[in-house]
């Protein structure tokens, strides 16, 4: 009788130990997935920031070219008039 009780509690503790290990494993897996997702989003944000910087440079160059063209057009118009 006592051996059955001891066997029951030993099995119960083993089950609890395995459950705790499974929970820790699940949390570890979740943390790793979150870290991977954070790294991926950071890389995406960096790529978008780089693209935004290039777009800003292109926009500045276009504005400068527009201003030069308007200036030349105004000078030519003054010569003709």
């Amino acid at each position: 009788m006592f051996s059955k009780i001891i066997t029951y509690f030993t099995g119960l503790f083993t089950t609890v130990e395995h459950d705790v290990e499974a929970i820790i494993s699940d949390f570890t897996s979740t943390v790793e997935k979150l870290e991977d997702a954070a790294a991926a989003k950071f890389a995406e944000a960096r790529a978008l920031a780089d693209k935004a910087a290039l777009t800003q440079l292109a926009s500045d160059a276009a504005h400068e070219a527009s201003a030069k063209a308007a200036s030349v057009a105004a000078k030519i118009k003054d010569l003709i008039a």
Side-chain angles (χ1 to χ4, degrees), residues 2-3 12 15 33 37-38 46 50 58-59 65 68 73-74 77 79:
F2 287 114
S3 64
L12 182 64
T15 301
K33 288 177 185 176
R46 186 71 216 148
D50 291 344
S59 174
K68 285 181 183 178
K77 187 176 181 181
L79 287 175

Side-chain angles (χ1 to χ4, degrees), residues 5-80:
I5 293 173
I6 292 173
T7 303
Y8 171 77
F9 281 116
T10 303
L12 182 64
F13 290 135
T14 303
T15 301
V16 169
E17 182 178 320
H18 289 299
D19 289 345
V20 169
E21 289 174 3
I23 291 169
I24 290 171
S25 176
D26 287 345
F27 278 127
T28 302
S29 175
T30 301
V31 168
E32 289 172 356
K33 288 177 185 176
L34 287 171
E35 289 173 338
D36 292 344
K41 283 297 179 184
F42 180 79
E44 180 182 351
R46 186 71 216 148
L48 290 171
D50 291 344
K51 186 176 180 180
L54 291 174
T55 302
Q56 183 63 46
L57 289 173
S59 174
D60 291 345
H63 280 279
E64 187 178 329
S66 171
K68 285 181 183 178
S71 175
V72 169
K75 288 178 183 176
I76 293 172
K77 187 176 181 181
D78 286 343
L79 287 175
I80 295 174

